[in-house]
Amino acid sequence: MRINIAIDGPSAAGKSTIAKKLAEHLGYVHLDTGAMYRCTALKAVRNGIALDDEQGVCTMLENTDICLMTDGTVFLDGEDVSKAIRTDEISLAASAVSKMPQVRADLVARQQKMAEAKGFIMDGRDIGTVVLKDAELKIFMTASPEARAERRYKQNIEKGIPTSDVETIAEEIRQRDYEDTHRAASPLKKADDAVEIDTSYMSIQEVCDAILSLAEPFLVREGSNE
Ligand code: DC
């Protein structure tokens, strides 16, 4: 039996990077749920749907295909939008659509369906509390806004994504933290049974090793077919 691993935490805490590496190591599938909210936001913006028009966004979603490939490529209705969903404008728009309960219900249902087969590492804000309440391992990953802004800035430069300076990114991160933790629908919060890891001063490898050692008891059981 394979397990599911839930990784939640604020934006730019390194969730996707870590989840991707762990998935490669374990031969699991990484599912970046933030990319689904970003796709929803991108399509709404492109179609001129107001970011407070919940019904409009929901109706749009009914005819929207979001496909997350194992190599990290994101397809929206067949178009590769991997870069287009990472701009600062779409980050803010994604935060707006993620407040809509009906949008969340639609995307959560898609995520739960995908994870039925087990062997998933899913990262987001509500994975341990809503999407995969029964995940065998739940991680709550945090880092200071300054550390996260530095990382996001470097990542943007490396990926050729237009970027603001570090201080502006840190300010946006603080704003999104506030919005993610104070919204009414599934606010970002640590599940009671999640293990918190502050990655501010940890390398990617150190975080992976910490999670792997927490997963080990389950993986051993998996190997012995118990
Ligand atoms: O992780 P990210 O920055 O790509 O997420 C984009 C937005 O989507 C962010 O504002 C939080 C929101 N989100 C969410 O509400 N629930 C999730 N499971 C994943 C992301």
Side-chain angles (χ1 to χ4, degrees), residues 97-134:
V97 299
S98 72
K99 287 186 192 135
M100 301 173 173
Q102 290 185 68
V103 167
R104 303 200 68 84
D106 181 313
L107 298 182
V108 166
R110 297 183 196 209
Q111 292 152 13
Q112 288 173 331
K113 185 111 199 79
M114 288 187 252
E116 264 170 12
K118 296 270 183 184
F120 279 78
I121 302 181
M122 212 180 261
D123 79 272
R125 305 292 189 288
D126 58 344
I127 311 305
T129 51
V130 177
V131 183
L132 300 178
K133 274 193 196 151
D134 59 352

Side-chain angles (χ1 to χ4, degrees), residues 11 15 32-35 37-38 86 91 94-95 98 104 123-127 152 176 180 183:
S11 63
K15 301 184 299 294
D32 168 10
T33 62
Y37 290 91
R38 287 173 179 273
R86 302 286 165 197
S91 296
S95 182
S98 72
R104 303 200 68 84
D123 79 272
R125 305 292 189 288
D126 58 344
I127 311 305
R152 183 53 57 94
R176 254 186 299 150
D180 288 348
R183 68 179 179 218

